[in-house]
Amino acid sequence: MTTETNREPVAKVYDLIIQDLIDAEAALPPKAAQFGRADLPAAQHLLGEVYLTRAGAATSSPDFALAAAQLNAVATNSRFSLLPSYKDLWRIDNENNPEVVFSIQFTSDPLTTGTGNKLHLYWGAAYDLEPGMLRDIANDRPFRRWRQTKWLLNLWDRTKDSRYEDMHKVVWISNNPNNIPKDASGKPKFTVGDTAVYMPGLPTIPPAMRAATRYKLYGEDEYTDAMFPNLNKYLDPTRTSTNQEEGQRDHPLFRLANTYLMLAEALIRDGKVNEGLVWLNKVRTRAAKPGFEAAMQVTAADLTTSASGSNPIEFILDERARELTGETTRWFDLKRTGRLVGPLSRVKKWNPAAAANIQDFHALRPIPNVEINANPSGIMKQNPGY
């Protein structure tokens, strides 16, 4: 039995991960007997992502072709398809759908779900402090740990891209008769069941619009760490109490739109731009508002003219943010493309709240102390900076 852990070269770690996944490909069935169990497409998706990660920010790498081969196998698998509507992905009654390649399963059974899916907690604004509102199950728990940067809010072209509207909750309906504001005559401005708070997505609220509106309006210049548009991907109305943290919503760890985006990236970065654009545009077509499908298509020229920079990686990262906001991929995307820390850091460029705090050593995460203390030889040391 081995009781000691040694730090190994990065290349050796990748070799082990890749061999494990190749072995999994050979052993797993084409389709799992039960939804939620790993099968061949799940291994292929992950192996493609690992090859992309090993390639890093390189301008040329054999890993691009290796990644494309794995991801193409999933993308062309007839079992999977993009849902027609982006919004339908986040219906809690639609967790088992043909866009899910692999999802982490949760249940309402307290004996088997463990700590549950807690992602519903983190994007919640303090709506219960607003006029006409109190905390309830449907609006979820206002834990307010994460919120969008100004850069992210401006990333979608909302005239033609449906995703901002489809993934954000911006309206709260009054559920509290005891704190509804009154007008000058003493009459309540609205009643339970009416709109209490609305975030129309305007940079600022025109005075005339505010004066003509009975409910509370927020312009983007008024968003705070307490009130902001809520990400609706993880809202969990099935919880049994307002303070319950354990959620039962499944987490779609691998979904087909991400497969398409990674396949597009692998092809584009391998010089096969037109082939890559086919998959990128499939994702953008699904996101288009009715009548704007053609306007959502991008060309090779668009890849080098994005607001974030002239490198195609910048456009790809923008598109991944538009599609995958909140889906626990972003740190890994920035790390593997060399945009987490260093001179190309997107954190420093686009996130003023974090720019002063992120350091180069954050490219590695801290090793949990429980792992260090469990190593009897003392060989395992904490990563630098922690």
Side-chain angles (χ1 to χ4, degrees):
M1 181 176 69
T2 299
T3 59
E4 295 183 357
T5 301
N6 297 306
R7 191 180 293 266
E8 297 285 1
V10 170
K12 188 173 180 179
V13 175
Y14 273 118
D15 287 345
L16 179 61
I17 294 171
I18 289 168
Q19 188 57 57
D20 280 351
L21 288 170
I22 290 173
D23 291 343
E25 281 188 291
L28 289 170
K31 182 178 181 180
Q34 292 176 295
F35 184 79
R37 292 188 178 275
D39 55 20
L40 174 59
Q44 292 168 326
H45 176 106
L46 183 55
L47 183 51
E49 184 172 359
V50 170
Y51 281 133
L52 262 187
T53 304
R54 187 170 69 173
T59 56
S60 175
S61 171
D63 282 328
F64 294 141
L66 293 172
Q70 296 292 329
L71 297 165
N72 184 70
V74 182
T76 57
N77 188 319
S78 60
R79 275 179 52 198
F80 306 110
S81 60
L82 297 183
L83 294 188
S85 168
Y86 187 85
K87 182 183 294 187
D88 286 346
L89 282 165
W90 315 113
R91 287 180 16 224
I92 200 165
D93 62 348
N94 193 38
E95 295 176 308
N96 184 349
N97 66 70
E99 190 163 334
V100 175
V101 178
F102 179 75
S103 63
I104 300 172
Q105 304 293 288
F106 293 94
T107 172
S108 60
D109 181 357
L111 296 178
T112 57
T113 200
T115 58
N117 184 353
K118 295 186 177 182
L119 285 172
H120 68 96
L121 292 172
Y122 301 118
W123 293 88
Y127 68 89
D128 55 335
L129 303 180
E130 294 295 317
M133 297 300 303
L134 55 78
R135 184 184 298 192
D136 63 11
I137 293 174
N139 287 297
D140 223 294
R141 185 169 171 173
F143 212 55
R144 55 186 186 276
R145 289 298 185 268
W146 299 333
R147 76 175 178 102
Q148 308 87 339
T149 61
K150 182 178 180 180
W151 171 84
L152 179 59
L153 287 170
N154 290 322
L155 196 58
W156 294 272
D157 181 344
R158 300 181 202 173
T159 64
K160 59 186 179 183
D161 192 327
S162 70
R163 288 174 290 191
Y164 171 81
E165 296 170 9
D166 286 350
M167 73 172 72
H168 288 106
K169 178 182 177 63
V170 296
V171 176
W172 284 263
I173 303 301
S174 176
N175 62 2
N176 185 4
N178 299 317
N179 66 343
I180 294 174
K182 298 178 180 179
D183 62 21
S185 68
K187 180 182 178 181
K189 290 186 175 182
F190 52 82
T191 64
V192 169
D194 291 339
T195 297
V197 181
Y198 176 41
M199 298 178 176
L202 300 175
T204 188
I205 302 297
M209 180 180 180
R210 196 184 297 278
T213 304
R214 295 175 298 153
Y215 42 81
K216 181 85 169 281
L217 291 169
Y218 275 92
E220 292 181 354
D221 58 340
E222 298 174 287
Y223 296 165
T224 68
D225 289 347
M227 278 304 288
F228 48 87
N230 282 193
L231 189 75
N232 66 23
K233 293 181 177 182
Y234 303 115
L235 293 178
D236 193 339
T238 67
R239 296 170 305 119
T240 58
S241 71
T242 56
N243 289 330
Q244 181 180 334
E245 294 188 6
E246 299 83 9
Q248 69 163 345
R249 181 188 282 273
D250 295 346
H251 179 51
L253 194 63
F254 306 156
R255 66 179 178 91
L256 191 65
N258 191 6
T259 311
Y260 284 7
L261 290 175
M262 290 194 295
L263 176 55
E265 178 183 345
L267 291 167
I268 289 167
R269 295 178 66 189
D270 202 28
K272 300 174 182 178
V273 176
N274 290 334
E275 292 180 44
L277 286 172
V278 170
W279 298 101
L280 181 63
N281 281 324
K282 286 178 183 291
V283 175
R284 290 181 60 83
T285 299
R286 191 268 297 276
K289 291 184 174 181
F292 288 90
E293 292 81 4
M296 280 287 283
Q297 305 303 292
V298 293
T299 66
D302 294 317
L303 298 176
T304 56
T305 57
S306 70
S308 297
S310 59
N311 190 314
I313 290 177
E314 305 295 347
F315 184 96
I316 289 165
L317 287 173
D318 284 358
E319 192 61 34
R320 290 184 64 78
R322 284 186 280 262
E323 177 71 21
L324 302 169
T325 289
E327 295 184 46
T328 67
T329 66
R330 196 61 175 175
W331 186 92
F332 300 98
D333 289 344
L334 297 181
K335 166 69 184 296
R336 68 178 174 78
T337 56
R339 267 67 177 175
L340 180 67
V341 298
L344 299 177
S345 171
R346 281 181 161 231
V347 179
K348 288 186 177 293
K349 188 174 183 180
W350 302 121
N351 190 341
N357 299 317
I358 194 164
Q359 306 292 327
D360 286 350
F361 69 80
H362 289 136
L364 292 178
R365 288 182 166 177
I367 300 171
N369 282 331
V370 66
E371 301 296 336
I372 295 173
N373 295 336
N375 202 304
S377 67
I379 293 175
M380 182 183 286
K381 304 297 182 184
Q382 184 55 272
N383 284 329
Y386 295 101

